[in-house]
């Protein structure tokens, strides 16, 4: 019996000393995917392990970036541009990751009552071109003609996006239609990459792809595992506070959609890049909307949709979703929280 107890004690000691093996915090940053900065923070056994992991993350994100690209072609890759170029011509054979994004995006169209519509490409392209021109030459900045927008809007029916999961093909049956996955692609890629890391056994990590944040677990702290501290950017660029508030999350995602980063100005009025499908004009209810939920793809799709909804509609909508919290920043800086959001706040910012 005594021997057994000693044996068990030794086993216990070995197990606990194994668990206590301290992991170190590492950080990496790189450019080149989704036209933004990717920041990675994680706890690893050693630097080599972390660096190799960062390399795999970069490879994964690069693959997603190429698949979801609407502007460029890549040798040997059928991507969103290939699908758009073949609208009304032929179904395009694509890989599973692209099918997965499109199925998800189509589902989100119905779930958001058409607010997030990836079939809005023809309309978004017009706004994109006018915005780019207006940014590069502010004196000649102008709004797209109403007629042009309305014409384009006739080619935005999500039912014309035909996904054949068995054949692994995608076909746009309207030749005038095109896809723009800007509202969902980054989040979906972030989520898939996080799931890949979870599959590798990673337990303490934060992936931030241009503000699309997804945490895996928490971080080792003095009192055991603690949540990550994530700063939310201040949409008011005139104040010196670059962060509006901080949220504490473990295994959650934080995604913001704002009107303060991508916009152009016509006659003193700012026009941002999130377009309300019902007016074909930029949504103007808020300076910023932040969503917290587990799935980063969902957070991205919802941040765009909720940005388009008026406040009361958005509150009702978010209130009806399980495990989703939101924060709205109004044009005058006033902040509104959904019920669940406050529990994530590091300090209660409500005045
Ligand atoms: P960000 O690109 O700043 O992260 P979002 O996730 O909100 O912000 O996505 C905005 C992008 O989504 C736009 O640049 C455009 O490509 C696309 N988009 C704009 N309005 C819509 C909409 N109503 N439905 C689907 N996509 C949209
Ligand atoms: Mg989005």
């Amino acid at each position: 019996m005594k021997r057994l107890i000693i044996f068990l004690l030794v086993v216990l000691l070995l197990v606990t000393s194994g668990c206590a093996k301290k992991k170190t915090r590492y950080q990496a940053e790189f450019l080149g995917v989704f036209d933004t900065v990717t920041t990675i923070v994680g706890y690893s056994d050693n630097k080599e392990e972390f660096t190799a992991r960062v390399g795999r993350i970069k490879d994964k994100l690069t693959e997603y970036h190429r698949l979801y690209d609407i502007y460029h072609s890549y040798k040997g890759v059928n991507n969103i541009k290939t699908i758009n170029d073949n609208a009304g011509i032929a179904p395009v054979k694509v890989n599973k990751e692209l099918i997965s994004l499109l199925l998800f995006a189509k589902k989100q169209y119905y779930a958001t009552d058409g607010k997030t519509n990836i079939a809005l490409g023809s309309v978004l392209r017009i706004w994109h071109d006018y915005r780019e021109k207006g940014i590069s030459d502010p004196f000649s900045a102008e709004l797209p003609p109403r007629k042009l927008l309305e014409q384009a809007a006739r080619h935005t029916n999500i039912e014309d996006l035909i996904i054949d999961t068995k054949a692994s093909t995608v076909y746009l049956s309207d030749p005038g239609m095109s896809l723009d996955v800007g509202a969902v692609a980054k989040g979906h890629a972030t989520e898939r990459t996080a799931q890949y890391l979870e599959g590798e056994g990673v337990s303490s990590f934060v992936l931030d792809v241009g503000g699309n944040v997804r945490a895996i677990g928490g971080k080792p702290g003095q009192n055991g595992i603690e949540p990550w501290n994530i700063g939310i950017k201040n949409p008011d660029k005139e104040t010196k506070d670059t962060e509006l508030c901080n949220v504490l999350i473990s295994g959650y995602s934080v995604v913001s959609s704002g009107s303060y980063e991508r916009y152009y100005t016509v006659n003193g009025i700012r026009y941002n890049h999130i377009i309300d499908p019902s007016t074909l004009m930029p949504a103007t209810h808020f300076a910023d909307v932040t969503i917290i939920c587990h799935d980063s793809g969902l957070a991205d799709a919802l941040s765009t949709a909720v940005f388009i909804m008026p406040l009361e509609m958005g509150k009702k909508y978010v209130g009806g979703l399980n495990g989703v919290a939101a924060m709205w920043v109004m044009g005058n800086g006033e902040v509104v929280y959904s019920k669940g959001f406050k529990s994530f706040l590091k300090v209660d910012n409500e005045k």
Side-chain angles (χ1 to χ4, degrees):
M1 185 67 189
K2 216 173 169 185
R3 261 201 204 158
L4 184 68
I5 289 173
I6 290 172
F7 172 74
L8 284 176
L9 273 176
V10 170
V11 169
L12 194 72
L13 213 78
L14 282 173
V15 169
T16 48
S17 68
C19 286
K21 187 165 184 244
K22 218 173 160 255
K23 290 190 188 260
T24 311
R25 183 186 196 274
Y26 296 100
Q27 182 164 341
E29 238 177 53
F30 57 80
L31 286 165
V33 287
F34 294 103
D35 307 317
T36 188
V37 186
T38 296
T39 309
I40 295 164
V41 179
Y43 284 78
S44 282
D45 290 332
N46 54 62
K47 194 162 173 57
E48 290 68 36
E49 182 190 84
F50 180 76
T51 309
R53 191 160 282 147
V54 170
R56 290 197 292 280
I57 293 170
K58 192 169 182 186
D59 289 347
K60 282 240 152 233
L61 289 173
T62 304
E63 191 195 327
Y64 289 119
H65 171 91
R66 290 181 176 169
L67 282 177
Y68 302 166
D69 201 327
I70 61 172
Y71 297 110
H72 306 97
S73 302
Y74 303 91
K75 219 174 151 202
V77 179
N78 281 347
N79 64 4
I80 299 279
K81 184 177 185 305
T82 324
I83 295 170
N84 287 344
D85 290 346
N86 281 284
I89 301 171
V92 176
K93 187 115 183 143
V94 295
N95 84 1
K96 280 202 179 66
E97 291 291 354
L98 194 40
I99 295 273
S100 146
L101 172 80
L102 296 178
L103 285 174
F104 169 75
K106 201 166 176 178
K107 206 168 108 197
Q108 283 310 305
Y109 171 88
Y110 302 113
T112 63
D113 196 22
K115 298 278 184 290
T116 304
N117 180 10
I118 59 159
L120 213 57
S122 53
V123 171
L124 296 174
R125 169 69 75 129
I126 296 170
W127 276 106
H128 177 267
D129 292 348
Y130 275 75
R131 188 170 61 246
E132 294 286 295
K133 201 165 155 275
I135 291 170
S136 65
D137 182 8
F139 290 108
S140 70
E142 52 184 5
L143 292 180
R146 188 77 212 154
K147 267 244 163 73
L148 193 62
L149 291 171
E150 282 170 2
Q151 251 165 17
R154 289 195 211 122
H155 305 284
T156 57
N157 186 348
I158 197 83
E159 303 308 332
D160 290 327
L161 161 61
I162 295 155
I163 306 167
D164 186 335
T165 43
K166 267 210 187 113
S168 203
T169 59
V170 179
Y171 179 52
L172 305 184
S173 57
D174 175 352
M177 188 164 123
S178 69
L179 302 178
D180 178 330
V181 292
V184 293
K186 222 166 34 162
H188 194 258
T190 306
E191 180 60 31
R192 300 290 285 175
T193 306
Q195 286 171 4
Y196 159 78
L197 291 170
E198 283 168 342
E200 266 195 346
V202 169
S203 58
S204 190
F205 225 73
V206 173
L207 199 56
D208 176 350
V209 185
N212 213 305
V213 178
R214 166 67 148 83
I216 298 174
K219 59 175 185 175
Q222 278 168 344
N223 308 311
I225 298 296
E226 296 172 359
W228 298 95
N229 184 355
I230 309 291
I232 295 176
K233 271 198 216 164
N234 193 343
D236 185 353
K237 296 290 161 213
E238 253 120 70
T239 67
K240 58 179 183 344
D241 299 329
T242 52
E243 281 172 3
L244 182 69
C245 59
N246 290 68
V247 289
L248 299 173
I249 55 160
S250 295
Y252 271 90
S253 178
V254 185
V255 178
S256 298
S257 274
S259 54
Y260 53 92
E261 259 164 5
R262 278 157 69 194
Y263 64 86
Y264 76 122
T265 308
V266 183
N267 295 328
I269 298 171
R270 279 184 182 188
Y271 293 89
N272 71 71
H273 69 306
I274 300 174
I275 305 302
D276 182 340
S278 64
T279 62
L280 307 179
M281 296 296 286
T284 53
H285 308 293
F286 315 106
D288 183 79
V289 168
T290 297
I291 300 286
I292 300 182
C293 64
H294 177 70
D295 186 302
S296 205
L298 183 63
D300 194 7
L302 289 181
S303 74
T304 308
V306 176
F307 190 88
I308 293 169
M309 297 177 189
L311 182 61
E312 285 314 311
M313 185 196 278
K315 274 169 132 176
K316 223 170 135 193
Y317 180 71
V318 171
L321 299 173
N322 247 338
V324 178
M327 177 181 78
W328 295 262
V329 183
M330 313 304 288
N332 65 3
E334 192 193 329
V335 182
V336 178
Y337 305 103
S338 77
K339 243 192 203 157
F341 200 94
K342 281 189 191 161
S343 60
F344 291 106
L345 280 178
K346 188 175 176 212
V347 271
D348 195 337
N349 284 57
E350 204 182 38
K351 302 209 171 77

